[in-house]
């Protein structure tokens, strides 16, 4: 067969070899597709997903990995404290320096690289000393990433490029997925899977950080921050009222975050029920973040802050009474007030009251000097009074913290006129 057809094919080739070669039209790959920028909404959504895939496993399961590697609870507590102190000292300074960058996303790229390297080091650490250093590094790096991201998303929101709440809610949904799926994977493998998961998630966040938008030539010039003006934030009563109100309300979650599993277990609830109690709270948070824009516009930052503080005053004493399941699940829905409403109040206040060139600094001050410090102290002190069988005393203190936040929120409402902070504006 080939012998009969070959001569004809040869003649065709000889007859056409001197003609212009015209390739057949067919789809071809354009490498520029890989370099094409994505929308800010998609870019920040992806970056939040990477962060919360990390957090959804780190928060509940990383301590188990450290324990399996021989680190005692006391040592783990010290590592968390060291990371917190470093954040208190250096995070605001780093955030201020990030404001000076031509492309603010570079700060998130560097922080994500630090997180990835710290996780990788924790994965291969040969001993307790290296593991401890890696743990401090990953806790410190992640503590930088969150406020820097929030400030960048807030900047994009104010430019009309996205809506803050729905984008942030995607991160909360990722937290649930990581918590449930990661927990299931770890349960059928071992604690080492926690740090493997965290390393992969951190690397995903690092890669996606390169897709974040950067200030382009068509953007309005960004004012250069001044260190003296940044310090003026601490002379603004309105900012301090917001700082400590948010710190008390968010810090009132300390007992719940650190010890709720112990009290729920002591009350006889199985692990899957405990998991769903956490999930319901985060689901309520997601709904509020995604759909709460109209409520936020009606109430404003101070109104949302009052809702969060009132929710803390109600939620924690009720939780401390070990109510039956039919009451416990609705109580968990109050997470949309104690966390989501307070969180949105903070973001909106910074967006309205703080000049653009100081928003990353302000968000980091609130996250580290405010919320981080108060939560850390509250966690440490509540350990002395918490009783898994009778947790009301510890939760009652958390309710009183919500009351303190309510008083400060009322003071903020009476003082702040809704505009730029006068202390910063007039400095």
């Amino acid at each position: 067969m080939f012998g009969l057809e070959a001569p004809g094919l040869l003649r065709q080739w000889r007859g056409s070899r001197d003609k212009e070669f015209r390739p057949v039209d067919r789809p071809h790959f354009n490498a520029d597709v890989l370099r094409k920028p994505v929308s800010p909404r998609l870019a920040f959504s992806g970056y939040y997903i990477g962060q919360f895939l990390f957090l959804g496993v780190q928060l509940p399961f990383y301590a188990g990995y450290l324990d399996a590697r021989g680190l005692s609870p006391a040592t783990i507590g010290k590592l968390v404290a060291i990371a917190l102190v470093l954040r208190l000292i250096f995070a605001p300074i780093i955030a201020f320096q990030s404001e000076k960058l031509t492309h603010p996303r570079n700060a998130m790229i560097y922080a994500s690289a630090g997180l990835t390297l710290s996780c990788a080091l924790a994965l291969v650490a040969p001993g307790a000393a290296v593991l401890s250093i890696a743990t401090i590094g990953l806790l410190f790096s992640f503590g930088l990433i969150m406020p820097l991201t929030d400030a960048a998303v807030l900047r994009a929101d104010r430019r009309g490029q996205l809506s803050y709440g729905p984008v942030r809610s995607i991160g909360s949904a990722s937290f649930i997925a990581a918590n449930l799926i990661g927990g299931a994977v770890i349960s059928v493998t071992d604690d080492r899977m926690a740090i493997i998961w965290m390393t992969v998630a951190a690397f995903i966040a690092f890669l996606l950080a390169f897709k974040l938008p950067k200030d382009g030539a068509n953007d309005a010039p960004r004012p250069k921050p001044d260190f003296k003006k940044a310090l003026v934030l601490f002379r603004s009563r309105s900012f301090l009222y917001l700082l400590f109100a948010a710190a008390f309300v968010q810090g009132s979650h300390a007992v719940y975050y650190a010890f709720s599993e112990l009290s729920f277990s002591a009350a006889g609830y199985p692990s899957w029920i405990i998991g769903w109690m956490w999930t319901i709270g985060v689901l309520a948070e997601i709904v509020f973040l995604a759909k709460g824009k109209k409520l936020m516009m009606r109430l404003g930052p101070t109104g949302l802050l009052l809702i969060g503080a009132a929710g803390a005053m109600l939620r924690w004493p009720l939780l401390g009474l070990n109510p039956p399941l039919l009451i416990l699940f609705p109580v968990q829905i109050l997470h949309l007030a104690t966390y989501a409403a307070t969180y949105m109040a903070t973001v909106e206040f910074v967006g309205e009251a703080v000049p653009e060139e100081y928003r990353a600094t302000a968000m980091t001050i609130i996250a580290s000097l405010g919320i981080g410090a108060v939560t850390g102290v509250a966690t440490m002190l509540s350990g002395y009074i918490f009783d898994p069988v009778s947790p009301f005393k510890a939760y009652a203190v958390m309710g009183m913290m919500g009351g303190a936040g309510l008083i400060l929120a009322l003071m903020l409402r009476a003082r702040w006129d809704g505009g730029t902070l006068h202390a910063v504006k007039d400095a």
Side-chain angles (χ1 to χ4, degrees):
M1 179 175 66
F2 291 103
L4 294 174
E5 294 179 352
L9 292 173
L10 183 61
R11 283 193 299 271
Q12 290 179 22
W13 178 79
R14 286 173 177 171
S16 61
R17 67 187 179 196
D18 296 328
K19 296 180 181 179
E20 181 182 358
F21 177 70
R22 300 180 182 276
V24 179
D25 287 338
R26 56 187 172 187
H28 64 282
F29 176 72
N30 185 358
D32 290 337
V33 172
L34 294 176
R35 296 187 288 271
K36 185 178 179 180
V38 298
S39 70
R41 183 180 185 277
L42 184 60
F44 281 113
S45 296
Y47 193 50
Y48 270 133
I49 287 173
Q51 292 177 42
F52 282 88
L53 287 177
F54 170 90
L55 187 64
V57 166
Q58 181 265 319
L59 197 60
F61 302 117
Y62 184 57
Y65 172 73
L66 296 177
D67 179 73
R69 295 293 302 274
L71 272 63
S72 68
T75 300
I76 296 173
K78 290 177 182 177
L79 296 178
V80 173
I82 292 172
L84 176 60
V85 170
L86 291 175
R87 281 177 55 194
L88 295 177
I89 298 172
F90 294 110
I93 298 173
I94 294 173
F96 175 79
Q97 294 299 323
S98 75
E99 309 271 21
K100 297 182 178 180
L101 297 175
T102 303
H103 303 308
R105 75 167 189 182
N106 289 348
M108 289 172 277
I109 293 174
Y110 301 148
S112 300
L115 180 64
T116 304
L117 292 174
S118 296
C119 289
L121 183 60
L123 176 62
V124 301
V130 177
L131 182 58
S132 297
I133 294 172
T135 299
I136 294 171
L138 68 89
L139 293 175
F140 177 79
S141 299
F142 190 78
L144 284 177
I145 289 173
M146 289 296 292
L148 290 175
T149 307
D150 290 339
V153 175
L154 177 60
R155 186 183 305 118
D157 179 282
R158 291 300 184 264
R159 292 178 178 177
Q161 297 173 328
L162 50 80
S163 180
Y164 182 91
V167 171
R168 175 59 176 75
S169 69
I170 293 174
S172 299
S174 302
F175 178 91
I176 293 177
N179 191 270
L180 296 178
I181 298 174
V185 172
I186 293 170
S187 67
V188 297
T189 54
D190 56 36
D191 290 308
R192 183 178 173 81
M193 184 54 65
I195 188 59
I196 294 174
W197 178 293
M198 291 163 56
T199 304
V200 172
F203 186 62
I204 291 172
F206 170 69
L207 293 179
L208 293 176
F210 288 93
K211 285 296 184 181
L212 296 176
K214 53 185 179 180
D215 289 349
N218 296 327
D219 292 332
R222 297 177 65 243
K224 293 298 182 182
D226 179 84
F227 186 69
K228 291 182 179 179
K229 273 196 173 184
L231 293 178
V232 171
L233 285 171
F234 292 102
R235 296 211 303 267
S236 168
R237 288 189 183 181
S238 294
F239 180 76
L240 293 176
Y241 289 155
L242 181 281
L243 171 68
F244 289 108
F248 278 120
V249 178
Q250 295 283 30
S252 72
H253 292 75
V255 171
Y256 175 69
Y257 288 157
F259 305 114
S260 62
E261 184 178 3
L262 299 178
S263 58
F264 288 151
S265 297
Y269 296 119
S271 297
W272 69 272
I273 289 286
I274 297 173
W276 271 107
M277 281 191 278
W278 274 75
T279 300
I280 284 176
V282 181
L283 285 174
E285 169 193 327
I286 291 171
V287 172
F288 186 91
L289 291 173
K291 303 296 184 182
K293 185 72 173 180
K294 290 182 178 179
L295 182 63
M296 184 277 299
M297 293 178 66
R298 172 185 285 186
L299 299 178
T302 56
L304 291 179
L305 193 56
L306 288 169
I307 289 176
M313 292 177 65
L314 177 63
R315 181 185 184 187
W316 305 128
L318 284 176
L319 205 59
L321 293 173
N322 280 331
L325 207 56
L326 289 177
I327 296 177
L328 191 55
F329 277 108
V331 168
Q332 287 297 84
I333 295 176
L334 286 173
H335 193 70
L336 66 83
T338 60
Y339 179 79
T342 307
Y343 186 81
M344 286 299 293
T346 303
V347 172
E348 290 299 323
F349 175 86
V350 171
E352 294 180 17
V354 179
E356 179 180 349
E357 65 269 29
Y358 301 105
R359 287 174 187 163
T361 304
M363 291 295 295
T364 306
I365 289 171
I366 294 167
S368 56
L369 295 179
I371 296 170
V374 172
T375 303
V377 173
T379 302
M380 181 179 64
L381 296 179
S382 61
Y384 292 101
I385 61 174
F386 178 77
D387 181 357
V389 178
S390 181
F392 179 77
K393 183 187 297 185
Y395 276 117
V397 174
M398 300 300 104
M400 287 188 283
M401 290 177 63
L406 182 69
I407 294 172
L408 289 165
L410 289 170
M411 294 171 70
L412 173 63
R413 191 185 189 105
R415 181 175 182 83
W416 180 49
D417 60 6
T420 303
L421 296 175
H422 295 294
V424 179
K425 184 169 60 176
D426 299 333

